[in-house]
Amino acid sequence: MAHSKKLKNRSDMVKAILVLLPSVVLVAVFVYGFIFNTIYVSLTDWGQGAGLAEHPVKHWVGLGNYRQLFSGFIYGRFRQDLVNTFFYSVILLVGTLFLGFLLAVLLDRKIRHEGFYRTIFLYPMALSFIVTGTIWRWLLAPNGGLNLLPTFLGLKKGEFLWISSRKAILTFNWQHLLSILFFIAALVFLMLLLRAVRNRIHRKMVIHSALFSSSLLLCAISRWLLPPLLPFEEIHGFNLATLGILLAAIWQYSGYTMALYLAGLRGLPESIRESSRMDGAGEFTYYWKIAIPNIKPITLSAVIILSHISLKMFDLIYAMAGADNANTGHPSVNMYLTTFRANQFAMGAAIAVILFIMAALFVIPYLMHSHKQRREG
Amino acid sequence: MKKSIGLLIVLSLMVSAGLFAGGQEEEKAPASPMDVEQVVLTDKAPSGDLELFSWWAGDEAPALEALIKVYESKYPNVNVINATVTGGSGVNAKAVLKTRMLGGDPPETFQVHAGQELIGTWVAANRMLDLTPLFEEEGWMDVFPKDLINLIGTDKGIWSVPVNIHRSNVLWYIPDNLKKWGVEAPKTWDDFFTVAETLKSKGVVPLAVAQTWTVNHLWESVALGVLGADDYDALWNGEISWTDPRVVKVWETFGKILSYTNTDAASLSWQQATDMVVIGDAAFNVMGDWAAGYLSTTLNIEPGSGYGWAPSPDTSGVFIFLADSFGCPKGTNNPDATLSWLKVCGSKEGSDTFNPLKGSISARTDSDLSLYNVYSQSAAKDFAKDRIVGSLAHGVVANEGFMNDFSTVMEMFLTSRNAQQAANACQAIAIQNGIGK
């Protein structure tokens, strides 16, 4: 009896392996194989000379392409793209979470025709970025759309160049990127240190003070001792032309965030709300002190889902601002142009690898988190 | 935990291997040695499939369809597959073509801008057939202008058959508007600056531009005007460095011209820039002569009386051309059908069917001018007598790599307006893309 059960187990396992094998092989080749091939290509010089020949000559150049991207004379556009990506991510996240939560709170108050509003708010999610982009390009045209709004109140026509402004704010010099990064790290550790001091956790006090002082030291070293990252000044910052694109992206995804939050808010038992009322908490206190801390997991998954969206804004930017508007640039657009327009395949691959690493920075913490949860659960 | 440490070690090893191997990067990849293969002319009647790869859709589709009709009436045994990938100036089509060529599945023939865009990409990669025998057999050496043949060929051969010619250095305006403002179309850039001041004081934008490629388009007209035809050619042959004071002056003049343009350029299409001229928000626009097609056909304005044109300032007597052309890639399934297609493209009948519909002129000097409108007739006359130079923005004088990087330099310049910096950056990208060794 036991014997046959074991046999059955084994044949089950064989079946399982046979069923899984094709997809494992396909994923191995078409996902991981290609990832490694792209990494390999990014370390060669494919694209110089006869890049499109039947058997192109490729030479190993190590990290040469990456060095070019971060400190080469003619790759300033890529560096601006990186800065843009940072602002795209941060503002998209903050804007969407805030707006989504606000909409969810409004709907949570059991208003009439809630289903109708829910559909309206969720609807943009069903559109593709190309459609969103085309609609918003019209809305944000310099001589139409949003700029006409003030005229309805009898004011002068707006002149803001939503997607074609050339102004930048919050500028910094790329030469000093390293020292700026270390300085920000030092600030973060200082805050952690202060918190540890307040909570009197001795171990953390030691760790954070060590981290704080070492990052401050690194900041000083990279500022005054090491040669600057670039031999010339290069100013990057938050381009106001990205505002229009962010507006469209936030419009598209706040409804989705609203749905996530609404589900979370509805999931809280009614008794909590009632007891908080009994204790004299107003609506604001209820959401701020009770609801938000309780739906933290929802915020986390929303952050994960939204943060990688900022990495695939290719079509939105392409539709709204066009490929050549460097002010709204994004590494993905740059990768496409470098690879398929300039035929610099290795350089394009290097940009792709950097994008891949950025995506990994968002996804891996999430995977680790959910893995930990599963083990604990 | 252990696993992740292992992974970290492997990763750091890979990274450091990459770092240390970086020393060998000096060696540049040499282009593989060219073994030029010529097309083989046969008298066989072609049959089978002809896959025709282009980006002519929308407004441009009827012209292509007319040309295909001519072909089908001559070669009824061939089944034409019209493989069009939409997208302005072929952005999407070129990407699709590249993946197909690299994957070993070339179409029988494909549309490409004549000149370096083809030569620097597909001829350098040794994937095209030399068409010299075809040109000789069809007598095209005599009917195409010599300047043109020089620009679409190299010392190794001639690589494509132009089906049309567009002019790039044209200044467009509305005569009635100019009369109203009391100005005339400028002959030189100095004229332009005086005229522009008058226009500015009347609240009119002197020169309308649109998104980056139209600014590149304007740049080549300015470069030709400031440098003159000889130096302009010398720049592309590498006889003049990009950091030469003459070229820096191009950027300086260009920067000054930009100060008379509209600020919302980056969000406009070229048609919208032309519209600004038509409705009187702007006085002038430098655009290729597809604008004539837009003005006469789409907006229904009479050429000559309704809208006017002149060579862009300082460029009279010179014709910046660009051309769409077809070539013959190596390793296609049906080279006979390709050759018969190319014969139709270059023939008088073919080009006189195609061009009046496309709004361009024929590359042949013997075309039937009565078929064309007033604007095209004047362009054809200029094409026959003017000095011909190639366009940068449309792929005649520089390869795709340079064109792409030039757009980046232009974006940099539009923000910084620093002429010397732009000149230095151009020198860097010229070296990187092997322009004028």
Side-chain angles (χ1 to χ4, degrees), chain A residues 178-247:
Chain A
L178 278 180
S179 45
I180 292 170
L181 287 180
F182 285 128
F183 185 70
I184 292 172
L187 278 185
V188 171
F189 290 128
L190 180 66
M191 264 157 62
L192 290 173
L193 176 64
L194 288 179
R195 200 206 256 171
V197 169
R198 212 176 46 203
N199 296 340
R200 294 165 202 243
I201 306 172
H202 197 73
R203 199 172 56 89
K204 280 196 177 169
M205 267 154 62
V206 175
I207 295 174
H208 289 310
S209 56
L211 285 171
F212 167 66
S213 46
S214 54
S215 45
L216 211 56
L217 188 71
L218 280 172
C219 173
I221 290 175
S222 55
R223 183 74 171 83
W224 288 290
L225 293 182
L226 290 178
L229 214 57
L230 283 181
F232 46 88
E233 266 199 9
E234 196 176 271
I235 306 297
H236 294 299
F238 173 53
N239 274 323
L240 295 182
T242 55
L243 274 178
I245 289 169
L246 282 164
L247 215 58

Coordinates of all heavy atoms in Angstrom, one line a residue, chain A residues 178-247:
Chain A
L178 N 27.9 62.6 -6.8 CA 28.3 61.7 -5.8 C 28.2 62.4 -4.4 O 27.5 61.8 -3.5 CB 29.7 61.2 -6.0 CG 29.8 60.0 -7.0 CD1 31.3 59.6 -7.1 CD2 29.0 58.9 -6.5
S179 N 28.7 63.6 -4.3 CA 28.7 64.2 -3.0 C 27.3 64.5 -2.5 O 27.0 64.4 -1.4 CB 29.6 65.4 -3.0 OG 29.4 66.2 -4.1
I180 N 26.5 64.9 -3.5 CA 25.1 65.2 -3.2 C 24.4 63.9 -2.7 O 23.7 64.0 -1.7 CB 24.3 65.7 -4.4 CG1 24.9 67.1 -4.8 CG2 22.8 65.9 -4.2 CD1 24.4 67.7 -6.1
L181 N 24.6 62.8 -3.4 CA 24.0 61.6 -2.9 C 24.4 61.2 -1.5 O 23.6 60.8 -0.7 CB 24.3 60.4 -3.9 CG 23.6 60.5 -5.3 CD1 24.0 59.3 -6.1 CD2 22.1 60.5 -5.1
F182 N 25.7 61.3 -1.3 CA 26.2 60.9 0.1 C 25.7 61.9 1.1 O 25.4 61.5 2.2 CB 27.8 61.0 0.1 CG 28.4 59.8 -0.6 CD1 29.4 60.0 -1.6 CD2 28.0 58.5 -0.3 CE1 29.9 58.9 -2.2 CE2 28.6 57.4 -0.9 CZ 29.5 57.6 -1.9
F183 N 25.5 63.2 0.7 CA 25.0 64.1 1.7 C 23.5 63.8 2.0 O 23.1 63.8 3.2 CB 25.0 65.5 1.0 CG 24.6 66.6 2.0 CD1 25.4 66.9 3.0 CD2 23.4 67.3 1.8 CE1 25.0 67.9 3.9 CE2 23.0 68.2 2.7 CZ 23.8 68.6 3.8
I184 N 22.7 63.3 1.0 CA 21.4 62.9 1.3 C 21.3 61.7 2.2 O 20.6 61.6 3.2 CB 20.6 62.7 0.0 CG1 20.4 64.0 -0.8 CG2 19.3 62.0 0.3 CD1 19.9 63.8 -2.2
A185 N 22.2 60.8 1.9 CA 22.3 59.6 2.8 C 22.7 60.0 4.2 O 22.1 59.5 5.2 CB 23.4 58.6 2.2
A186 N 23.6 60.9 4.4 CA 24.0 61.4 5.7 C 22.8 62.0 6.4 O 22.5 61.7 7.6 CB 25.1 62.4 5.6
L187 N 22.0 62.7 5.7 CA 20.8 63.3 6.3 C 19.8 62.3 6.8 O 19.3 62.3 7.9 CB 20.1 64.2 5.3 CG 20.6 65.6 5.1 CD1 19.7 66.4 4.2 CD2 20.7 66.3 6.5
V188 N 19.6 61.2 6.0 CA 18.7 60.1 6.3 C 19.2 59.4 7.6 O 18.5 59.2 8.6 CB 18.6 59.1 5.2 CG1 17.8 57.9 5.6 CG2 17.9 59.8 4.0
F189 N 20.5 59.2 7.6 CA 21.1 58.5 8.8 C 21.0 59.3 10.0 O 20.8 58.8 11.1 CB 22.5 58.0 8.5 CG 22.6 56.9 7.5 CD1 23.4 57.0 6.4 CD2 21.8 55.8 7.7 CE1 23.5 56.0 5.5 CE2 21.9 54.7 6.8 CZ 22.7 54.8 5.7
L190 N 21.1 60.6 9.8 CA 21.1 61.5 11.0 C 19.7 61.5 11.6 O 19.5 61.4 12.8 CB 21.3 63.0 10.5 CG 21.3 64.0 11.6 CD1 22.4 63.8 12.6 CD2 21.4 65.4 11.1
M191 N 18.6 61.4 10.7 CA 17.3 61.3 11.2 C 17.1 60.0 12.0 O 16.5 60.0 13.1 CB 16.3 61.4 10.1 CG 15.8 62.9 9.9 SD 15.2 63.2 8.2 CE 13.8 62.0 8.1
L192 N 17.6 58.9 11.4 CA 17.5 57.6 12.1 C 18.2 57.7 13.4 O 17.7 57.1 14.4 CB 18.1 56.5 11.2 CG 17.2 56.2 9.9 CD1 18.0 55.2 9.0 CD2 15.9 55.6 10.3
L193 N 19.3 58.3 13.4 CA 20.1 58.4 14.7 C 19.3 59.2 15.7 O 19.2 58.7 16.9 CB 21.4 59.1 14.4 CG 22.4 59.4 15.6 CD1 22.8 58.1 16.2 CD2 23.5 60.3 15.2
L194 N 18.7 60.3 15.3 CA 18.0 61.1 16.3 C 16.8 60.2 16.9 O 16.5 60.3 18.1 CB 17.4 62.3 15.6 CG 18.5 63.4 15.3 CD1 17.9 64.6 14.6 CD2 19.2 63.8 16.6
R195 N 16.2 59.5 16.0 CA 15.1 58.7 16.4 C 15.5 57.6 17.4 O 14.9 57.3 18.4 CB 14.4 58.0 15.2 CG 13.0 57.5 15.5 CD 12.6 56.4 14.7 NE 11.7 56.8 13.6 CZ 11.4 55.9 12.6 NH1 11.9 54.8 12.5 NH2 10.5 56.3 11.7
A196 N 16.7 57.0 17.1 CA 17.3 56.0 18.0 C 17.6 56.6 19.4 O 17.4 56.0 20.4 CB 18.5 55.4 17.4
V197 N 18.1 57.8 19.3 CA 18.4 58.5 20.6 C 17.2 58.7 21.4 O 17.1 58.5 22.6 CB 19.2 59.8 20.3 CG1 19.3 60.7 21.6 CG2 20.5 59.6 19.7
R198 N 16.1 59.1 20.7 CA 14.9 59.4 21.4 C 14.3 58.1 22.0 O 13.8 58.1 23.1 CB 13.9 60.0 20.4 CG 12.9 61.0 21.1 CD 12.0 61.7 20.1 NE 11.5 60.7 19.2 CZ 11.0 61.0 17.9 NH1 11.1 62.2 17.5 NH2 10.5 60.1 17.2
N199 N 14.4 57.0 21.2 CA 13.8 55.8 21.7 C 14.8 55.0 22.6 O 14.5 53.9 23.1 CB 13.4 54.9 20.6 CG 12.3 55.5 19.8 OD1 11.6 56.4 20.3 ND2 12.1 55.1 18.5
R200 N 16.0 55.6 22.8 CA 17.1 55.0 23.6 C 17.4 53.5 23.2 O 17.4 52.6 24.1 CB 16.7 55.0 25.1 CG 16.6 56.4 25.6 CD 15.9 56.5 26.9 NE 15.4 57.9 27.0 CZ 15.8 58.7 28.0 NH1 16.6 58.2 28.9 NH2 15.4 59.9 28.1
I201 N 17.5 53.3 21.9 CA 17.9 51.9 21.5 C 19.4 52.0 21.2 O 19.9 52.6 20.2 CB 17.2 51.5 20.2 CG1 15.7 51.6 20.5 CG2 17.5 50.1 19.9 CD1 14.8 51.3 19.2
H202 N 20.2 51.4 22.1 CA 21.6 51.7 22.1 C 22.3 51.1 20.9 O 23.1 51.8 20.2 CB 22.2 51.0 23.4 CG 23.6 51.6 23.7 ND1 23.8 52.8 24.2 CD2 24.8 51.0 23.5 CE1 25.0 53.0 24.3 NE2 25.7 52.0 23.9
R203 N 21.9 49.9 20.5 CA 22.5 49.3 19.4 C 22.3 50.1 18.1 O 23.3 50.4 17.3 CB 21.9 47.9 19.2 CG 22.7 46.9 18.3 CD 22.1 45.6 18.4 NE 20.7 45.6 17.9 CZ 20.3 45.5 16.6 NH1 21.2 45.3 15.7 NH2 19.0 45.6 16.3
K204 N 21.1 50.6 17.9 CA 20.8 51.4 16.7 C 21.6 52.7 16.7 O 22.0 53.2 15.7 CB 19.3 51.7 16.6 CG 18.6 50.5 16.0 CD 17.2 50.9 15.6 CE 16.5 49.7 15.0 NZ 15.1 50.0 14.7
M205 N 21.7 53.2 17.9 CA 22.5 54.5 18.1 C 23.9 54.4 17.5 O 24.4 55.2 16.7 CB 22.5 55.0 19.5 CG 21.4 55.9 19.9 SD 20.9 55.9 21.6 CE 22.4 56.5 22.4
V206 N 24.5 53.2 17.9 CA 25.9 53.0 17.4 C 25.9 52.9 15.9 O 26.7 53.5 15.2 CB 26.5 51.7 18.1 CG1 27.8 51.4 17.5 CG2 26.5 51.9 19.6
I207 N 25.0 52.0 15.4 CA 25.0 51.7 13.9 C 24.8 53.0 13.2 O 25.6 53.3 12.2 CB 23.9 50.7 13.6 CG1 24.2 49.4 14.2 CG2 23.8 50.5 12.0 CD1 23.1 48.3 14.0
H208 N 23.8 53.7 13.5 CA 23.4 54.9 12.7 C 24.4 56.0 12.8 O 24.7 56.7 11.9 CB 22.0 55.4 13.1 CG 20.9 54.5 12.6 ND1 20.9 54.0 11.4 CD2 19.9 53.9 13.3 CE1 19.9 53.2 11.2 NE2 19.2 53.1 12.4
S209 N 25.0 56.2 14.0 CA 26.0 57.2 14.1 C 27.2 56.9 13.2 O 27.9 57.7 12.6 CB 26.5 57.5 15.5 OG 26.9 56.3 16.1
A210 N 27.6 55.5 13.2 CA 28.7 55.1 12.3 C 28.3 55.4 10.8 O 29.1 56.0 10.1 CB 29.0 53.6 12.5
L211 N 27.1 55.0 10.4 CA 26.7 55.2 9.0 C 26.7 56.7 8.7 O 27.1 57.1 7.6 CB 25.3 54.6 8.8 CG 25.3 53.1 8.7 CD1 23.9 52.6 8.7 CD2 26.0 52.7 7.4
F212 N 26.1 57.5 9.7 CA 26.0 58.9 9.4 C 27.4 59.6 9.2 O 27.7 60.3 8.2 CB 25.4 59.6 10.6 CG 25.5 61.1 10.7 CD1 24.9 61.9 9.7 CD2 26.2 61.7 11.7 CE1 25.0 63.2 9.7 CE2 26.3 63.1 11.7 CZ 25.7 63.9 10.7
S213 N 28.3 59.2 10.1 CA 29.6 59.9 10.0 C 30.4 59.4 8.7 O 31.1 60.2 8.1 CB 30.5 59.7 11.2 OG 30.4 58.3 11.6
S214 N 30.2 58.1 8.4 CA 31.0 57.6 7.2 C 30.4 58.2 5.9 O 31.1 58.6 5.0 CB 30.9 56.1 7.1 OG 29.6 55.6 7.2
S215 N 29.1 58.4 5.9 CA 28.5 59.0 4.6 C 28.9 60.5 4.6 O 29.2 61.0 3.5 CB 27.0 58.8 4.5 OG 26.4 59.1 5.7
L216 N 29.0 61.1 5.7 CA 29.4 62.5 5.7 C 30.9 62.6 5.2 O 31.3 63.5 4.4 CB 29.3 63.1 7.1 CG 29.0 64.6 7.2 CD1 27.8 64.9 6.4 CD2 28.9 65.0 8.6
L217 N 31.7 61.6 5.7 CA 33.1 61.6 5.3 C 33.2 61.3 3.8 O 33.9 62.0 3.1 CB 33.8 60.4 6.0 CG 35.3 60.4 5.8 CD1 35.9 61.5 6.6 CD2 35.8 59.0 6.4
L218 N 32.4 60.4 3.2 CA 32.4 60.1 1.8 C 32.0 61.3 1.0 O 32.5 61.6 -0.1 CB 31.4 58.9 1.5 CG 32.0 57.5 1.8 CD1 30.9 56.5 1.6 CD2 33.1 57.2 0.8
C219 N 31.0 62.0 1.6 CA 30.5 63.2 0.9 C 31.7 64.2 0.8 O 31.9 64.8 -0.3 CB 29.4 63.8 1.7 SG 28.9 65.4 1.2
A220 N 32.4 64.4 1.9 CA 33.6 65.3 1.8 C 34.6 64.8 0.8 O 35.2 65.6 0.1 CB 34.1 65.5 3.2
I221 N 34.9 63.5 0.9 CA 36.0 63.0 0.0 C 35.6 63.2 -1.5 O 36.4 63.7 -2.3 CB 36.2 61.5 0.3 CG1 36.8 61.3 1.6 CG2 37.0 60.8 -0.9 CD1 36.9 59.8 2.0
S222 N 34.3 62.9 -1.8 CA 33.9 63.0 -3.2 C 33.8 64.4 -3.6 O 33.9 64.8 -4.8 CB 32.6 62.3 -3.5 OG 31.6 62.7 -2.6
R223 N 33.6 65.3 -2.7 CA 33.5 66.7 -3.0 C 34.8 67.4 -3.3 O 35.0 68.1 -4.2 CB 32.7 67.5 -1.9 CG 32.4 68.9 -2.2 CD 31.3 69.1 -3.3 NE 30.9 70.5 -3.4 CZ 31.5 71.3 -4.1 NH1 32.6 71.0 -4.8 NH2 31.1 72.6 -4.2
W224 N 35.8 67.1 -2.4 CA 37.1 67.8 -2.4 C 38.3 67.0 -2.8 O 39.2 67.6 -3.4 CB 37.3 68.5 -1.1 CG 36.4 69.7 -0.9 CD1 36.4 70.9 -1.5 CD2 35.3 69.8 0.0 NE1 35.4 71.7 -1.1 CE2 34.7 71.0 -0.1 CE3 34.8 68.9 1.0 CZ2 33.6 71.4 0.6 CZ3 33.7 69.3 1.7 CH2 33.1 70.6 1.5
L225 N 38.3 65.7 -2.6 CA 39.5 65.0 -2.9 C 39.4 64.3 -4.3 O 40.4 64.3 -5.0 CB 39.7 63.9 -1.8 CG 40.1 64.5 -0.4 CD1 40.3 63.4 0.6 CD2 41.3 65.4 -0.5
L226 N 38.3 63.7 -4.6 CA 38.2 63.0 -5.9 C 38.0 64.0 -7.0 O 37.5 65.1 -6.8 CB 37.0 62.0 -5.9 CG 37.1 60.8 -5.0 CD1 35.9 60.0 -5.0 CD2 38.3 59.9 -5.4
P227 N 38.4 63.6 -8.2 CA 38.1 64.5 -9.3 C 36.6 64.5 -9.6 O 36.0 63.5 -9.3 CB 38.9 63.9 -10.5 CG 39.1 62.5 -10.1 CD 39.2 62.5 -8.6
P228 N 36.0 65.6 -10.1 CA 34.6 65.6 -10.3 C 34.2 64.6 -11.4 O 35.0 64.2 -12.2 CB 34.3 67.1 -10.8 CG 35.6 67.6 -11.3 CD 36.7 66.9 -10.5
L229 N 32.9 64.2 -11.3 CA 32.4 63.2 -12.2 C 32.5 63.6 -13.7 O 32.7 62.8 -14.5 CB 30.9 62.9 -11.9 CG 30.4 61.5 -12.0 CD1 31.2 60.6 -11.2 CD2 28.9 61.5 -11.5
L230 N 32.3 64.9 -13.9 CA 32.4 65.4 -15.3 C 33.5 66.5 -15.3 O 33.6 67.2 -14.4 CB 31.1 66.0 -15.7 CG 29.9 65.1 -16.1 CD1 28.8 66.0 -16.5 CD2 30.3 64.2 -17.3
P231 N 34.2 66.6 -16.4 CA 35.2 67.7 -16.5 C 34.6 69.0 -16.7 O 35.3 70.0 -16.9 CB 36.1 67.2 -17.7 CG 35.2 66.4 -18.5 CD 34.2 65.7 -17.6
F232 N 33.3 69.1 -16.9 CA 32.7 70.4 -17.2 C 31.3 70.5 -16.4 O 30.8 69.5 -16.0 CB 32.4 70.6 -18.7 CG 31.8 69.4 -19.3 CD1 30.4 69.2 -19.3 CD2 32.6 68.3 -19.8 CE1 29.8 68.1 -19.8 CE2 32.0 67.2 -20.3 CZ 30.6 67.1 -20.4
E233 N 30.8 71.7 -16.3 CA 29.6 71.9 -15.6 C 28.4 71.3 -16.4 O 28.4 71.5 -17.6 CB 29.3 73.4 -15.3 CG 29.8 73.8 -14.0 CD 29.2 75.1 -13.6 OE1 28.3 75.6 -14.2 OE2 29.7 75.7 -12.5
E234 N 27.5 70.6 -15.7 CA 26.3 70.2 -16.5 C 25.1 70.3 -15.5 O 25.1 69.6 -14.5 CB 26.5 68.8 -16.9 CG 25.5 68.4 -18.0 CD 25.8 67.0 -18.5 OE1 26.5 66.9 -19.5 OE2 25.2 66.1 -18.0
I235 N 24.2 71.2 -15.8 CA 23.1 71.5 -14.9 C 21.9 70.6 -15.3 O 21.5 70.6 -16.4 CB 22.7 73.0 -15.0 CG1 24.0 73.8 -14.7 CG2 21.7 73.3 -14.0 CD1 24.6 73.7 -13.4
H236 N 21.4 69.9 -14.3 CA 20.2 69.1 -14.5 C 19.2 69.5 -13.4 O 19.6 70.0 -12.3 CB 20.4 67.6 -14.4 CG 21.3 67.1 -15.6 ND1 20.9 67.3 -16.9 CD2 22.5 66.6 -15.5 CE1 21.9 66.8 -17.6 NE2 22.9 66.3 -16.9
G237 N 17.9 69.3 -13.7 CA 17.0 69.6 -12.6 C 15.6 69.1 -13.0 O 15.5 68.3 -13.9
F238 N 14.6 69.6 -12.3 CA 13.2 69.2 -12.6 C 12.7 70.0 -13.7 O 12.4 71.2 -13.5 CB 12.4 69.3 -11.3 CG 11.0 69.1 -11.5 CD1 10.5 67.9 -12.1 CD2 10.0 70.0 -11.1 CE1 9.2 67.7 -12.3 CE2 8.7 69.8 -11.2 CZ 8.2 68.6 -11.8
N239 N 12.5 69.4 -14.9 CA 12.0 70.2 -16.0 C 10.5 70.4 -15.9 O 9.8 69.5 -15.7 CB 12.3 69.4 -17.3 CG 13.6 69.6 -17.8 OD1 14.1 70.7 -17.8 ND2 14.3 68.6 -18.3
L240 N 10.1 71.7 -16.1 CA 8.7 72.0 -16.0 C 7.9 71.3 -17.1 O 6.7 71.2 -17.0 CB 8.5 73.5 -15.9 CG 9.1 74.1 -14.7 CD1 8.8 75.6 -14.7 CD2 8.5 73.5 -13.4
A241 N 8.6 70.9 -18.2 CA 7.8 70.3 -19.3 C 7.3 68.9 -18.9 O 6.4 68.4 -19.5 CB 8.8 70.2 -20.5
T242 N 7.9 68.3 -17.8 CA 7.4 67.0 -17.4 C 6.1 67.1 -16.6 O 5.4 66.1 -16.4 CB 8.4 66.3 -16.6 OG1 8.8 67.1 -15.4 CG2 9.7 66.0 -17.3
L243 N 5.7 68.3 -16.2 CA 4.5 68.5 -15.5 C 3.3 68.0 -16.2 O 2.4 67.3 -15.7 CB 4.3 70.0 -15.1 CG 5.0 70.5 -13.9 CD1 4.7 72.0 -13.7 CD2 4.5 69.7 -12.7
G244 N 3.2 68.3 -17.5 CA 2.1 67.9 -18.3 C 2.0 66.4 -18.4 O 0.9 65.8 -18.3
I245 N 3.1 65.8 -18.6 CA 3.1 64.3 -18.7 C 2.7 63.7 -17.3 O 2.0 62.7 -17.3 CB 4.5 63.8 -19.2 CG1 4.6 64.2 -20.6 CG2 4.6 62.3 -19.0 CD1 5.9 64.1 -21.2
L246 N 3.2 64.3 -16.3 CA 2.8 63.8 -14.9 C 1.3 63.9 -14.7 O 0.7 63.0 -14.1 CB 3.6 64.5 -13.9 CG 5.1 64.0 -13.7 CD1 5.9 65.0 -13.0 CD2 5.1 62.7 -13.0
L247 N 0.8 65.0 -15.2 CA -0.6 65.3 -15.0 C -1.4 64.1 -15.6 O -2.3 63.6 -15.0 CB -1.0 66.6 -15.7 CG -2.0 67.5 -15.1 CD1 -1.6 67.8 -13.7 CD2 -2.2 68.7 -15.9

